Amino acid sequence: MYFRILNDEASGELTYLLADLTSREAVLIDPHGRDLPVLSALLAERDLRLRWVLRTHHHDDSQGREVDLLARLEAPLVQGDTHEAQLGGTVLPFGDELIRIVATPGHTPFCLSFGWRDRFFCGALLAVTACPRQSWPQAPEDLWDSVTQKVFTLPDETLLFAGH
C-alpha cells in the first residue's frame, strides 16, 4: 500500500493519494485541477493507474471548470451531487482494497466522506467556521447529525483526515 498527503501551502487544502501497489491501482481524494501536473507525475512515478477521483464536496462557483480539469485524469469522478449523495453505503474497489462512501451533509448539502481501512476522509465537514461563508443556507442540524451520528460513532482508532 501507498499513502501520500499533498498539501497546498497557499490554500491549506489537502489531497490524498491511496494506491494498491500490487495491482497498481490508485485513488485520489479531493484533488484540484490546478494540480494536474503534480498528480500526473506522482501517478507516473509509481506506474499507477487511477481508478477513482473522489471529492468530498464542491462549491458551485468553481464546479464546471474543476470537473473539466479533473476529467483529464481519465478516471470516474464521484462527488457530492444530488444524485450521488445517495451513494452512501456504496463500496468502491481499487485493487484488493475497498473505499466506503458515507453521506455526510453539512458543509454543503451533499457532502460525502470516504472510509478506507482505519482512515476517514471527511473533507471540510469539520471546518465548522467555513459554513457561514456558504452561498446558500446550511442546515446546522445536518452538520450536527453527520458529526455525531457518522464521525463520532467510528471506532476509536479511526484516523480523521480533513480537507483543510
Side-chain angles (χ1 to χ4, degrees):
M1 285 314 305
Y2 180 69
F3 176 66
R4 179 103 184 244
I5 301 171
L6 300 127
N7 178 22
D8 183 322
E9 290 186 24
S11 67
E13 295 171 325
L14 302 169
T15 297
Y16 303 97
L17 170 63
L18 293 64
D20 178 337
L21 295 177
T22 303
S23 69
R24 317 295 308 160
E25 287 192 338
V27 171
L28 285 169
I29 298 175
D30 284 339
H32 300 280
R34 66 179 176 263
D35 298 329
L36 286 180
V38 172
L39 298 172
S40 296
L42 284 171
L43 293 167
E45 175 182 65
R46 299 211 178 249
D47 191 30
L48 298 172
R49 182 178 71 85
L50 188 59
R51 181 71 175 92
W52 301 101
V53 174
L54 308 177
R55 294 179 72 204
T56 56
H57 71 287
H58 64 83
H59 298 279
D60 291 339
D61 55 346
S62 64
Q63 170 61 13
R65 183 171 191 274
E66 274 297 293
V67 169
D68 292 342
L69 289 170
L70 293 174
R72 296 180 189 172
L73 292 168
E74 299 179 350
L77 173 66
V78 177
Q79 67 182 12
D81 288 317
T82 53
H83 63 285
E84 289 180 339
Q86 297 168 1
L87 288 174
T90 300
V91 176
L92 303 174
F94 72 103
D96 289 330
E97 298 289 324
L98 297 172
I99 292 183
R100 182 175 41 93
I101 299 175
V102 180
T104 51
H107 178 68
T108 63
F110 306 107
C111 282
L112 299 174
S113 292
F114 304 100
W116 174 66
R117 293 184 170 200
D118 64 345
R119 297 157 199 206
F120 194 72
F121 302 90
C122 55
L125 179 68
L126 302 177
V128 177
T129 58
C131 289
R133 292 191 290 259
Q134 299 300 326
S135 59
W136 51 81
Q138 293 298 299
E141 55 276 355
D142 289 343
L143 179 65
W144 176 262
D145 289 346
S146 290
V147 171
T148 60
Q149 295 175 21
K150 309 246 174 112
V151 176
F152 287 176
T153 60
L154 294 168
D156 291 344
E157 61 274 7
T158 303
L159 303 171
L160 295 178
F161 291 89
H164 300 276

